[in-house]
Amino acid sequence: MTTHISGHDVLHFSHANGFPAGSYQAIFERLSVHYDVRTIDRLGHNPQYPVTNNWRELAKELTHHFEQNYRQPVIAVGHSLGGVLSYMVAQQRPDLVKALIMLDSPILTPMQSVGFGVMKRLGLSDYFTPAARTEGRRSHWESVDDALAYFSGKTLMKNFDPRCLKDYVSAGTEMINPDRPEDGIRLRFDPDTEIKIYRTIPHDIRCDAPLNMPTAVIGGRQSNVFLPINGARMQSRVGMKVKWVPGGHLFPFEHPTHTADHIHHLLSEMLS
């Protein structure tokens, strides 16, 4: 799942909510030619760092991982949840981050921040996040083939590269009972944790000054999460490079090869 190559810059990739790191294997394989790719398998599943409002403990989890595992500042790349957490670490601990690339990860505008803060206080965040869609969804299958058939028919994943769909099922499920294969498989990413992460999306992140390292964000042109208004603010206030690519919020799974190439090209420009 994680590739280690001596002598290369460490690139730590942080995953989106609900998608364990192994789901991005097609991207990692291409990036590992140039970087020492590292990950945390499942953010939010370490009881030492519970899911709390505005993801403060999750940011601590990533910060402490950087502190404990890397001897030098790392290239932080993250998708959605992972991108926002990477931004939080880069903002709070710039000594740990050499460069930052966010994949369809919005930092909210002031109006969005106020609105979402109110929605959270009123308990209405499910209307503006995928939390309601996640709650009560299917989490068990008879076999890997059954799970593949199920997910390939979901609107959210219908445009996935076949490699990514297969990797998601492989990384995202586990046998219910290793001694009884007939019991089937279940999701590895705890659905309750996934819901909590959606319900506690940060609305208080500052976006008013450049960070102390090269930064960029890649957005999907058809995304309903990372909007042009978010890209414009992150560019004007933080000085981020903003690149738009085909696809929706999950474009890294729809176009993994191109995503890896865009990341490498941006890093080549940013670190030259």
Side-chain angles (χ1 to χ4, degrees), residues 12-24:
H12 185 99
F13 190 103
S14 299
H15 63 75
N17 190 18
F19 294 89
S23 308
Y24 299 84

Side-chain angles (χ1 to χ4, degrees), residues 77-109:
V77 180
H79 178 206
S80 192
L81 160 73
V84 174
L85 294 180
S86 298
Y87 181 94
M88 293 170 73
V89 174
Q91 189 177 63
Q92 297 163 13
R93 288 293 307 277
D95 57 304
L96 298 176
V97 180
K98 180 176 183 176
L100 169 68
I101 294 183
M102 305 165 72
L103 307 179
D104 221 76
S105 304
I107 303 301
L108 302 182
T109 67

